[in-house]
Amino acid sequence: MIPTVITLPRLEDEIGPRRPGAIYQNSDGRFEVLALITDPREAAQLLRRDSARWAVIIRDTLRPDGQPYAVGSVWTTSDYLLREGRTNPGYVRAA
């Protein structure tokens, strides 16, 4: 039997350019990134999942009443960046 090697995508590839302050758009709306969480326990709790590697807290800027919420969807070719974010404030690294 040949051993199977499973390679997880790089965290940076999954998150894409979503850093605090970034604004991106896709078919679901236009979103401002408020925080990026890379602590797996905190991300899982925010996403209400058994496990997660990261989470992004966003708000829809097209909705005047848009409330912040967490997402864990990976960056795809249907997402596009409107404004770059910053890398330090709001970026929480795993311990």
Side-chain angles (χ1 to χ4, degrees):
M1 179 182 235
I2 299 173
T4 303
V5 176
I6 298 174
T7 305
L8 293 174
R10 288 180 12 160
L11 197 64
E12 294 80 18
D13 294 336
E14 289 182 354
I15 296 167
R18 291 178 287 188
R19 300 293 182 267
I23 295 179
Y24 71 99
Q25 189 165 340
N26 58 31
S27 61
D28 296 327
R30 183 184 314 144
F31 307 98
E32 179 182 15
V33 178
L34 304 176
L36 171 60
I37 289 60
T38 58
D39 178 321
R41 279 189 239 159
E42 187 178 352
Q45 184 178 21
L46 284 168
L47 296 171
R48 296 184 177 108
R49 296 182 187 167
D50 290 335
S51 66
R53 294 173 57 186
W54 55 271
V56 179
I57 299 174
I58 60 173
R59 72 173 183 86
D60 191 338
T61 63
L62 296 177
R63 295 179 177 223
D65 62 341
Q67 296 296 311
Y69 62 97
V71 296
S73 54
V74 299
W75 184 262
T76 69
T77 56
S78 65
D79 299 311
Y80 58 97
L81 190 64
L82 299 174
R83 180 180 78 192
E84 286 189 25
R86 53 196 183 278
T87 55
N88 287 340
Y91 186 40
V92 181
R93 290 196 168 270

Coordinates of all heavy atoms in Angstrom, one line a residue:
M1 N 0.8 -1.2 0.0 CA 0.0 0.0 0.0 C 0.9 1.2 0.0 O 1.8 1.3 0.8 CB -0.9 0.0 1.2 CG -1.8 1.2 1.3 SD -2.8 1.1 2.8 CE -4.4 1.3 2.1
I2 N 0.6 2.2 -0.8 CA 1.3 3.5 -0.9 C 0.7 4.4 0.1 O -0.5 4.6 0.1 CB 1.2 4.0 -2.3 CG1 1.8 3.1 -3.4 CG2 1.9 5.4 -2.4 CD1 1.6 3.5 -4.8
P3 N 1.6 5.0 0.9 CA 1.1 6.0 1.9 C 0.5 7.2 1.2 O 1.0 7.7 0.2 CB 2.3 6.3 2.8 CG 3.5 5.7 2.1 CD 3.0 4.8 1.0
T4 N -0.5 7.7 1.8 CA -1.1 9.0 1.3 C -0.6 10.2 2.1 O -0.6 10.1 3.3 CB -2.7 8.9 1.4 OG1 -3.1 7.7 0.8 CG2 -3.3 10.1 0.9
V5 N -0.2 11.2 1.4 CA 0.3 12.4 2.0 C -0.8 13.5 1.8 O -1.1 13.7 0.6 CB 1.6 12.8 1.4 CG1 2.1 14.1 2.0 CG2 2.7 11.7 1.6
I6 N -1.3 14.0 2.8 CA -2.2 15.1 2.7 C -1.5 16.4 3.0 O -1.0 16.6 4.1 CB -3.4 14.9 3.7 CG1 -4.1 13.6 3.3 CG2 -4.3 16.1 3.7 CD1 -5.2 13.2 4.3
T7 N -1.6 17.3 2.1 CA -1.0 18.6 2.3 C -2.0 19.7 2.4 O -2.9 19.8 1.5 CB -0.1 19.0 1.1 OG1 0.9 17.9 0.9 CG2 0.7 20.3 1.3
L8 N -2.0 20.4 3.5 CA -3.0 21.5 3.7 C -2.6 22.7 3.0 O -1.4 23.0 2.9 CB -3.1 21.8 5.2 CG -3.8 20.7 6.1 CD1 -3.7 21.2 7.6 CD2 -5.2 20.5 5.7
P9 N -3.5 23.5 2.4 CA -3.1 24.7 1.8 C -2.5 25.6 2.8 O -2.8 25.6 4.0 CB -4.5 25.3 1.3 CG -5.4 24.2 1.4 CD -4.9 23.2 2.4
R10 N -1.6 26.5 2.3 CA -1.0 27.5 3.2 C -2.0 28.4 3.7 O -2.9 28.8 3.0 CB 0.1 28.3 2.4 CG 1.3 27.5 2.1 CD 2.3 28.4 1.3 NE 1.9 29.8 1.4 CZ 2.7 30.8 1.1 NH1 3.9 30.5 0.8 NH2 2.3 32.0 1.2
L11 N -1.9 28.7 5.0 CA -2.8 29.6 5.7 C -3.0 30.9 4.9 O -4.1 31.4 4.7 CB -2.3 29.9 7.1 CG -3.3 30.4 8.1 CD1 -4.4 29.5 8.3 CD2 -2.6 30.8 9.4
E12 N -1.8 31.5 4.4 CA -1.9 32.8 3.7 C -2.7 32.7 2.4 O -3.3 33.6 2.0 CB -0.4 33.3 3.4 CG 0.4 33.6 4.6 CD 1.0 32.4 5.4 OE1 1.0 31.3 4.8 OE2 1.3 32.6 6.5
D13 N -2.6 31.5 1.8 CA -3.3 31.3 0.5 C -4.8 31.2 0.8 O -5.7 31.7 0.0 CB -2.9 30.0 -0.2 CG -1.5 30.1 -0.7 OD1 -1.0 31.3 -0.9 OD2 -0.8 29.1 -0.9
E14 N -5.2 30.6 1.9 CA -6.7 30.5 2.3 C -7.2 31.9 2.6 O -8.3 32.2 2.2 CB -6.9 29.6 3.4 CG -6.6 28.1 3.1 CD -6.9 27.2 4.3 OE1 -7.2 27.7 5.4 OE2 -6.9 26.0 4.1
I15 N -6.5 32.7 3.4 CA -6.9 34.0 3.9 C -6.9 35.0 2.7 O -7.7 35.9 2.6 CB -6.1 34.5 5.0 CG1 -6.3 33.5 6.2 CG2 -6.4 35.9 5.4 CD1 -5.3 33.7 7.4
G16 N -5.9 34.9 1.9 CA -5.7 35.9 0.8 C -5.3 37.2 1.4 O -4.6 37.3 2.4
P17 N -5.7 38.3 0.7 CA -5.2 39.6 1.2 C -6.1 40.2 2.3 O -6.1 41.4 2.5 CB -5.3 40.5 -0.1 CG -6.4 39.9 -0.9 CD -6.3 38.4 -0.6
R18 N -6.9 39.4 2.9 CA -7.8 39.9 3.9 C -7.1 40.2 5.2 O -6.9 39.3 6.1 CB -9.0 39.0 4.2 CG -9.9 38.9 3.0 CD -11.0 37.9 3.2 NE -10.5 36.6 3.1 CZ -11.2 35.5 3.1 NH1 -12.5 35.6 3.2 NH2 -10.7 34.3 3.0
R19 N -6.7 41.5 5.4 CA -6.0 41.9 6.6 C -6.9 43.1 7.2 O -7.7 43.7 6.4 CB -4.6 42.5 6.3 CG -3.7 41.5 5.7 CD -3.3 40.4 6.7 NE -2.4 39.4 6.2 CZ -2.7 38.3 5.6 NH1 -3.9 38.0 5.4 NH2 -1.8 37.5 5.2
P20 N -6.9 43.4 8.5 CA -7.7 44.4 9.0 C -7.5 45.7 8.2 O -6.4 46.1 7.8 CB -7.1 44.6 10.4 CG -6.6 43.2 10.8 CD -6.0 42.7 9.5
G21 N -8.7 46.3 7.9 CA -8.7 47.5 7.1 C -8.9 47.3 5.6 O -9.3 48.2 4.9
A22 N -8.7 46.0 5.2 CA -8.9 45.7 3.7 C -10.4 45.8 3.4 O -11.3 45.5 4.3 CB -8.4 44.3 3.4
I23 N -10.7 46.1 2.2 CA -12.1 46.0 1.7 C -12.1 45.1 0.4 O -11.2 45.3 -0.4 CB -12.7 47.4 1.3 CG1 -12.8 48.2 2.6 CG2 -14.1 47.2 0.7 CD1 -13.4 49.6 2.4
Y24 N -12.9 44.1 0.4 CA -13.0 43.2 -0.8 C -14.5 43.0 -1.1 O -15.4 43.3 -0.4 CB -12.3 41.9 -0.5 CG -13.0 41.0 0.5 CD1 -13.8 40.0 0.0 CD2 -12.9 41.1 1.9 CE1 -14.4 39.1 0.9 CE2 -13.5 40.3 2.7 CZ -14.3 39.3 2.3 OH -14.9 38.4 3.2
Q25 N -14.7 42.6 -2.4 CA -16.0 42.4 -2.9 C -16.1 41.0 -3.6 O -15.2 40.5 -4.1 CB -16.4 43.5 -3.8 CG -17.8 43.5 -4.3 CD -18.2 44.8 -4.9 OE1 -17.6 45.9 -4.7 NE2 -19.3 44.8 -5.6
N26 N -17.3 40.5 -3.5 CA -17.7 39.3 -4.3 C -19.2 39.3 -4.5 O -19.8 40.4 -4.3 CB -17.2 38.0 -3.5 CG -17.8 37.9 -2.2 OD1 -19.0 38.3 -1.9 ND2 -17.1 37.2 -1.3
S27 N -19.8 38.3 -5.0 CA -21.2 38.3 -5.4 C -22.1 38.4 -4.2 O -23.3 38.8 -4.3 CB -21.5 37.0 -6.1 OG -21.3 35.9 -5.3
D28 N -21.6 38.2 -2.9 CA -22.4 38.3 -1.7 C -22.4 39.7 -1.2 O -23.2 40.1 -0.3 CB -21.8 37.4 -0.6 CG -22.0 35.9 -1.0 OD1 -23.0 35.6 -1.7 OD2 -21.1 35.1 -0.7
G29 N -21.5 40.6 -1.5 CA -21.4 42.0 -1.0 C -20.1 42.6 -1.1 O -19.1 42.0 -1.7
R30 N -19.9 43.7 -0.4 CA -18.6 44.4 -0.2 C -18.3 44.4 1.3 O -19.1 44.9 2.1 CB -18.7 45.8 -0.8 CG -17.4 46.5 -0.7 CD -17.4 48.0 -1.2 NE -18.2 48.1 -2.4 CZ -19.0 49.2 -2.7 NH1 -19.1 50.2 -1.8 NH2 -19.6 49.3 -3.8
F31 N -17.1 44.0 1.6 CA -16.8 43.7 3.0 C -15.6 44.4 3.5 O -14.6 44.4 2.8 CB -16.7 42.2 3.3 CG -17.9 41.4 2.8 CD1 -17.8 40.8 1.6 CD2 -19.0 41.4 3.5 CE1 -18.9 40.1 1.1 CE2 -20.1 40.6 3.1 CZ -20.1 40.0 1.9
E32 N -15.7 45.0 4.7 CA -14.5 45.5 5.3 C -14.0 44.5 6.4 O -14.8 44.0 7.2 CB -14.8 46.8 6.1 CG -13.6 47.4 6.8 CD -13.9 48.7 7.5 OE1 -15.1 49.0 7.7 OE2 -13.0 49.4 7.9
V33 N -12.7 44.2 6.4 CA -12.1 43.3 7.3 C -11.8 44.1 8.6 O -11.1 45.0 8.6 CB -10.9 42.7 6.8 CG1 -10.2 41.7 7.8 CG2 -11.1 41.9 5.5
L34 N -12.5 43.6 9.7 CA -12.3 44.3 11.0 C -11.2 43.6 11.8 O -10.4 44.2 12.5 CB -13.6 44.3 11.8 CG -14.8 44.9 11.1 CD1 -16.0 44.8 11.9 CD2 -14.4 46.4 10.8
A35 N -11.1 42.2 11.7 CA -10.0 41.5 12.4 C -9.8 40.2 11.7 O -10.6 39.6 11.1 CB -10.5 41.3 13.9
L36 N -8.5 39.7 11.9 CA -8.1 38.4 11.4 C -7.7 37.6 12.6 O -6.8 38.0 13.4 CB -7.0 38.6 10.4 CG -6.3 37.3 9.9 CD1 -7.3 36.3 9.3 CD2 -5.2 37.6 9.0
I37 N -8.3 36.4 12.8 CA -7.9 35.6 14.0 C -7.3 34.3 13.5 O -7.9 33.6 12.6 CB -9.2 35.2 14.8 CG1 -9.8 36.4 15.6 CG2 -8.9 34.2 15.8 CD1 -10.2 37.6 14.8
T38 N -6.1 34.0 13.9 CA -5.4 32.8 13.5 C -5.2 31.8 14.6 O -4.5 30.8 14.5 CB -4.0 33.2 12.8 OG1 -3.2 33.9 13.8 CG2 -4.2 34.0 11.6
D39 N -5.7 32.1 15.8 CA -5.7 31.2 16.9 C -6.8 30.2 16.6 O -8.0 30.5 16.6 CB -6.0 31.9 18.2 CG -6.0 31.0 19.4 OD1 -6.6 29.8 19.3 OD2 -5.5 31.3 20.5
P40 N -6.5 28.9 16.3 CA -7.5 27.9 16.0 C -8.6 27.7 16.9 O -9.8 27.6 16.5 CB -6.7 26.6 15.8 CG -5.3 27.0 15.6 CD -5.1 28.3 16.3
R41 N -8.4 27.8 18.2 CA -9.5 27.7 19.2 C -10.4 28.8 19.1 O -11.6 28.6 19.2 CB -8.9 27.5 20.6 CG -8.4 26.1 20.9 CD -8.1 26.0 22.4 NE -6.7 25.6 22.4 CZ -5.9 25.8 23.5 NH1 -6.3 26.3 24.6 NH2 -4.6 25.4 23.4
E42 N -9.9 30.0 19.1 CA -10.7 31.2 19.0 C -11.5 31.2 17.7 O -12.7 31.5 17.6 CB -9.9 32.5 19.1 CG -10.8 33.7 19.2 CD -10.0 35.0 19.4 OE1 -8.7 34.9 19.7 OE2 -10.6 36.1 19.4
A43 N -10.8 30.9 16.6 CA -11.5 30.8 15.3 C -12.7 29.8 15.3 O -13.7 30.1 14.8 CB -10.5 30.5 14.2
A44 N -12.4 28.6 15.8 CA -13.5 27.6 15.9 C -14.7 28.1 16.7 O -15.8 27.9 16.3 CB -12.9 26.3 16.5
Q45 N -14.4 28.7 17.8 CA -15.5 29.3 18.7 C -16.3 30.3 17.9 O -17.5 30.3 17.9 CB -14.9 29.8 19.9 CG -15.9 30.3 20.9 CD -15.3 30.8 22.2 OE1 -14.1 31.2 22.3 NE2 -16.1 30.8 23.3
L46 N -15.6 31.3 17.2 CA -16.3 32.3 16.5 C -17.1 31.8 15.4 O -18.2 32.3 15.1 CB -15.3 33.3 15.9 CG -14.6 34.3 16.9 CD1 -13.5 35.0 16.2 CD2 -15.7 35.3 17.3
L47 N -16.6 30.7 14.7 CA -17.3 30.1 13.6 C -18.3 29.0 14.0 O -19.0 28.5 13.2 CB -16.3 29.6 12.6 CG -15.4 30.6 11.9 CD1 -14.3 29.9 11.1 CD2 -16.2 31.5 11.1
R48 N -18.3 28.7 15.3 CA -19.2 27.7 15.9 C -19.0 26.3 15.1 O -19.9 25.7 14.7 CB -20.7 28.1 15.8 CG -21.0 29.3 16.6 CD -22.4 29.6 16.6 NE -22.7 30.7 17.5 CZ -23.1 31.9 17.0 NH1 -23.1 32.2 15.8 NH2 -23.3 32.9 17.9
R49 N -17.7 26.0 15.1 CA -17.3 24.7 14.4 C -16.4 23.9 15.4 O -15.9 24.5 16.4 CB -16.4 25.0 13.2 CG -17.1 25.7 12.1 CD -16.2 25.8 10.9 NE -16.7 26.6 9.9 CZ -16.0 27.1 8.9 NH1 -14.8 26.9 8.8 NH2 -16.6 27.9 8.0
D50 N -16.3 22.6 15.1 CA -15.4 21.8 16.0 C -13.9 22.2 15.8 O -13.1 22.1 16.7 CB -15.6 20.3 15.6 CG -16.9 19.8 16.1 OD1 -17.5 20.4 17.0 OD2 -17.4 18.8 15.5
S51 N -13.6 22.6 14.6 CA -12.2 23.1 14.3 C -12.2 24.1 13.2 O -13.1 24.1 12.4 CB -11.3 21.9 13.9 OG -11.7 21.4 12.7
A52 N -11.2 24.9 13.3 CA -10.9 26.0 12.2 C -9.5 26.4 12.4 O -9.0 26.4 13.5 CB -11.9 27.1 12.4
R53 N -8.9 26.8 11.3 CA -7.5 27.3 11.4 C -7.5 28.8 11.5 O -6.5 29.3 12.1 CB -6.8 26.9 10.1 CG -6.6 25.4 9.9 CD -6.1 25.0 8.6 NE -4.8 25.6 8.4 CZ -4.1 25.5 7.2 NH1 -4.6 24.8 6.2 NH2 -3.0 26.1 7.0
W54 N -8.5 29.5 11.1 CA -8.5 30.9 11.1 C -10.0 31.4 10.9 O -10.9 30.7 10.6 CB -7.6 31.5 10.1 CG -8.0 31.0 8.7 CD1 -7.5 29.9 8.1 CD2 -8.9 31.6 7.8 NE1 -8.1 29.7 6.9 CE2 -9.0 30.8 6.7 CE3 -9.7 32.7 7.8 CZ2 -9.8 31.0 5.5 CZ3 -10.6 33.0 6.7 CH2 -10.6 32.2 5.6
A55 N -10.2 32.7 11.2 CA -11.5 33.3 11.0 C -11.2 34.8 10.6 O -10.2 35.4 11.1 CB -12.4 33.2 12.2
V56 N -12.1 35.4 9.9 CA -12.1 36.8 9.6 C -13.4 37.4 10.0 O -14.5 36.9 9.8 CB -11.9 37.0 8.0 CG1 -11.9 38.5 7.7 CG2 -10.7 36.3 7.5
I57 N -13.3 38.5 10.8 CA -14.5 39.3 11.2 C -14.6 40.4 10.2 O -13.7 41.2 10.0 CB -14.3 39.8 12.6 CG1 -14.2 38.6 13.6 CG2 -15.6 40.6 13.0 CD1 -13.9 39.0 15.0
I58 N -15.8 40.4 9.6 CA -16.1 41.4 8.5 C -17.5 42.1 8.8 O -18.2 41.6 9.6 CB -16.2 40.7 7.2 CG1 -17.3 39.6 7.1 CG2 -14.8 40.1 6.8 CD1 -17.5 39.0 5.8
R59 N -17.7 43.2 8.0 CA -19.0 43.8 8.0 C -19.3 44.2 6.6 O -18.4 44.6 5.8 CB -19.1 44.9 9.0 CG -18.4 46.2 8.6 CD -18.8 47.3 9.5 NE -18.1 48.5 9.1 CZ -18.6 49.4 8.1 NH1 -19.8 49.2 7.6 NH2 -17.9 50.4 7.8
D60 N -20.5 44.0 6.1 CA -20.9 44.4 4.8 C -21.1 45.9 4.7 O -22.0 46.5 5.3 CB -22.2 43.7 4.4 CG -22.6 43.8 2.9 OD1 -22.1 44.7 2.3 OD2 -23.3 42.9 2.5
T61 N -20.3 46.5 3.9 CA -20.3 48.0 3.8 C -21.5 48.5 2.9 O -21.7 49.7 2.8 CB -19.0 48.6 3.2 OG1 -18.8 48.1 1.9 CG2 -17.9 48.2 4.1
L62 N -22.1 47.6 2.2 CA -23.3 48.0 1.4 C -24.6 48.0 2.2 O -25.6 48.6 1.7 CB -23.5 47.0 0.2 CG -22.3 47.0 -0.8 CD1 -22.5 45.9 -1.9 CD2 -22.1 48.3 -1.4
R63 N -24.6 47.5 3.4 CA -25.7 47.6 4.2 C -25.5 48.6 5.3 O -24.6 48.5 6.1 CB -25.9 46.2 4.9 CG -26.3 45.1 3.9 CD -26.5 43.8 4.7 NE -26.9 42.8 3.7 CZ -27.8 41.9 4.0 NH1 -28.4 41.9 5.1 NH2 -28.1 41.0 3.0
P64 N -26.4 49.6 5.4 CA -26.2 50.6 6.4 C -26.3 50.0 7.9 O -25.7 50.6 8.8 CB -27.4 51.6 6.2 CG -28.2 51.0 5.1 CD -27.5 49.8 4.6
D65 N -27.0 48.9 8.0 CA -27.1 48.3 9.3 C -26.2 47.1 9.5 O -26.4 46.3 10.3 CB -28.6 47.9 9.6 CG -29.1 46.9 8.6 OD1 -28.5 46.8 7.5 OD2 -30.1 46.2 8.9
G66 N -25.2 47.0 8.6 CA -24.4 45.8 8.6 C -23.6 45.6 9.9 O -22.9 46.4 10.4
Q67 N -23.9 44.5 10.5 CA -23.3 44.1 11.8 C -22.1 43.2 11.5 O -22.1 42.4 10.6 CB -24.3 43.4 12.7 CG -25.5 44.2 13.1 CD -25.1 45.4 13.9 OE1 -24.3 45.2 14.9 NE2 -25.5 46.6 13.6
P68 N -21.0 43.3 12.3 CA -19.9 42.4 12.2 C -20.2 41.0 12.4 O -21.1 40.7 13.3 CB -18.9 42.9 13.3 CG -19.3 44.3 13.6 CD -20.8 44.3 13.4
Y69 N -19.6 40.1 11.6 CA -19.7 38.7 11.8 C -18.5 38.0 11.3 O -17.7 38.5 10.6 CB -21.0 38.1 11.2 CG -21.1 38.3 9.7 CD1 -20.7 37.3 8.8 CD2 -21.5 39.5 9.1 CE1 -20.8 37.4 7.5 CE2 -21.6 39.6 7.7 CZ -21.2 38.6 6.9 OH -21.3 38.7 5.5
A70 N -18.3 36.7 11.8 CA -17.1 36.0 11.4 C -17.4 35.0 10.2 O -18.5 34.5 10.1 CB -16.7 35.1 12.6
V71 N -16.4 34.9 9.4 CA -16.5 34.0 8.2 C -15.2 33.2 8.2 O -14.1 33.6 8.7 CB -16.7 34.7 6.9 CG1 -18.0 35.4 6.8 CG2 -15.6 35.6 6.6
G72 N -15.3 32.0 7.6 CA -14.1 31.2 7.4 C -13.9 30.7 6.0 O -13.3 29.7 5.8
S73 N -14.6 31.4 5.1 CA -14.5 31.0 3.7 C -13.1 31.4 3.1 O -12.6 32.4 3.4 CB -15.6 31.6 2.8 OG -15.7 33.0 3.0
V74 N -12.6 30.5 2.2 CA -11.3 30.8 1.6 C -11.4 31.8 0.5 O -12.4 32.0 -0.1 CB -10.6 29.5 1.1 CG1 -10.4 28.5 2.2 CG2 -11.4 28.9 0.0
W75 N -10.3 32.5 0.3 CA -10.2 33.5 -0.8 C -10.2 32.8 -2.1 O -9.5 31.8 -2.3 CB -8.9 34.3 -0.6 CG -8.7 35.4 -1.6 CD1 -8.0 35.3 -2.8 CD2 -9.2 36.7 -1.5 NE1 -8.1 36.6 -3.4 CE2 -8.8 37.4 -2.6 CE3 -10.1 37.3 -0.6 CZ2 -9.2 38.7 -2.8 CZ3 -10.4 38.6 -0.8 CH2 -10.0 39.3 -1.9
T76 N -11.1 33.2 -3.0 CA -11.2 32.6 -4.3 C -11.0 33.6 -5.5 O -10.9 34.8 -5.2 CB -12.5 31.9 -4.5 OG1 -13.6 32.9 -4.6 CG2 -12.8 30.9 -3.3
T77 N -11.1 33.1 -6.7 CA -11.0 34.0 -7.8 C -12.2 34.9 -8.0 O -12.2 35.8 -8.8 CB -10.8 33.2 -9.1 OG1 -11.8 32.2 -9.3 CG2 -9.4 32.5 -9.1
S78 N -13.3 34.6 -7.3 CA -14.5 35.4 -7.3 C -14.4 36.6 -6.4 O -15.3 37.5 -6.4 CB -15.8 34.6 -7.1 OG -15.8 34.1 -5.8
D79 N -13.4 36.6 -5.5 CA -13.2 37.7 -4.5 C -12.2 38.7 -5.2 O -11.2 38.2 -5.8 CB -12.6 37.2 -3.2 CG -13.5 36.2 -2.5 OD1 -14.7 36.5 -2.3 OD2 -13.0 35.2 -2.1
Y80 N -12.4 40.0 -5.0 CA -11.4 40.9 -5.5 C -11.2 42.0 -4.5 O -12.1 42.5 -3.8 CB -11.6 41.4 -6.9 CG -12.9 42.1 -7.1 CD1 -13.0 43.5 -7.1 CD2 -14.1 41.3 -7.4 CE1 -14.2 44.1 -7.4 CE2 -15.3 42.0 -7.7 CZ -15.3 43.3 -7.7 OH -16.5 44.0 -7.9
L81 N -10.0 42.4 -4.3 CA -9.6 43.4 -3.4 C -9.8 44.8 -3.9 O -9.4 45.2 -5.0 CB -8.1 43.2 -3.0 CG -7.5 44.0 -1.9 CD1 -8.1 43.6 -0.6 CD2 -6.0 43.8 -1.8
L82 N -10.5 45.6 -3.1 CA -10.7 47.0 -3.4 C -9.8 48.0 -2.7 O -9.4 49.0 -3.2 CB -12.2 47.4 -3.1 CG -13.3 46.6 -3.8 CD1 -14.6 47.0 -3.2 CD2 -13.2 46.9 -5.3
R83 N -9.4 47.6 -1.5 CA -8.4 48.4 -0.7 C -7.6 47.5 0.2 O -8.1 46.6 0.8 CB -9.2 49.4 0.2 CG -8.3 50.2 1.1 CD -9.0 51.2 2.0 NE -9.5 50.5 3.1 CZ -10.4 51.0 4.0 NH1 -10.9 52.2 3.8 NH2 -10.8 50.3 5.0
E84 N -6.3 47.7 0.2 CA -5.4 46.9 1.0 C -5.6 47.2 2.5 O -5.9 48.3 2.8 CB -3.9 47.1 0.6 CG -3.6 46.4 -0.7 CD -2.1 46.5 -1.0 OE1 -1.3 46.6 0.0 OE2 -1.8 46.4 -2.2
G85 N -5.3 46.2 3.3 CA -5.4 46.4 4.7 C -4.0 46.5 5.3 O -3.0 46.5 4.6
R86 N -3.9 46.6 6.6 CA -2.6 46.6 7.3 C -2.3 45.3 7.9 O -3.2 44.4 7.9 CB -2.7 47.7 8.4 CG -3.8 47.5 9.3 CD -4.1 48.8 10.2 NE -5.1 48.6 11.1 CZ -6.4 48.7 10.8 NH1 -6.8 48.9 9.6 NH2 -7.3 48.4 11.8
T87 N -1.1 45.0 8.3 CA -0.8 43.7 8.8 C -0.7 43.5 10.3 O -0.9 42.4 10.7 CB 0.6 43.3 8.2 OG1 1.6 44.3 8.5 CG2 0.5 43.1 6.7
N88 N -0.5 44.5 11.1 CA -0.3 44.3 12.5 C -1.6 44.5 13.3 O -2.0 43.5 13.9 CB 0.8 45.2 13.1 CG 2.1 44.7 12.6 OD1 2.3 43.5 12.3 ND2 3.1 45.5 12.7
P89 N -2.2 45.7 13.5 CA -3.3 45.8 14.4 C -4.5 44.9 14.0 O -4.9 44.8 12.8 CB -3.7 47.3 14.2 CG -2.5 48.0 13.8 CD -1.8 46.9 12.9
G90 N -5.0 44.2 14.9 CA -6.2 43.3 14.7 C -5.8 41.9 14.2 O -6.6 41.1 14.0
Y91 N -4.5 41.7 14.0 CA -4.0 40.4 13.4 C -3.5 39.6 14.6 O -2.5 39.9 15.2 CB -2.9 40.6 12.4 CG -2.5 39.4 11.7 CD1 -3.3 38.4 11.2 CD2 -1.1 39.2 11.4 CE1 -2.9 37.3 10.6 CE2 -0.7 38.1 10.7 CZ -1.6 37.2 10.3 OH -1.1 36.1 9.6
V92 N -4.3 38.6 15.0 CA -4.0 37.8 16.2 C -3.3 36.5 15.7 O -3.9 35.7 15.0 CB -5.3 37.5 17.0 CG1 -4.9 36.7 18.2 CG2 -5.9 38.8 17.3
R93 N -2.1 36.3 16.1 CA -1.3 35.1 15.8 C -1.6 34.0 16.8 O -1.8 34.2 18.0 CB 0.2 35.3 15.7 CG 0.5 36.2 14.6 CD 2.1 36.1 14.4 NE 2.4 36.6 13.1 CZ 2.4 36.0 12.0 NH1 2.1 34.7 11.9 NH2 2.8 36.6 10.9
A94 N -1.5 32.7 16.3 CA -1.6 31.6 17.3 C -0.5 31.6 18.2 O 0.7 32.0 17.9 CB -1.6 30.3 16.5
A95 N -0.7 31.2 19.5 CA 0.3 31.1 20.5 C 1.3 30.0 20.3 O 1.0 29.1 19.7 CB -0.4 31.0 21.8

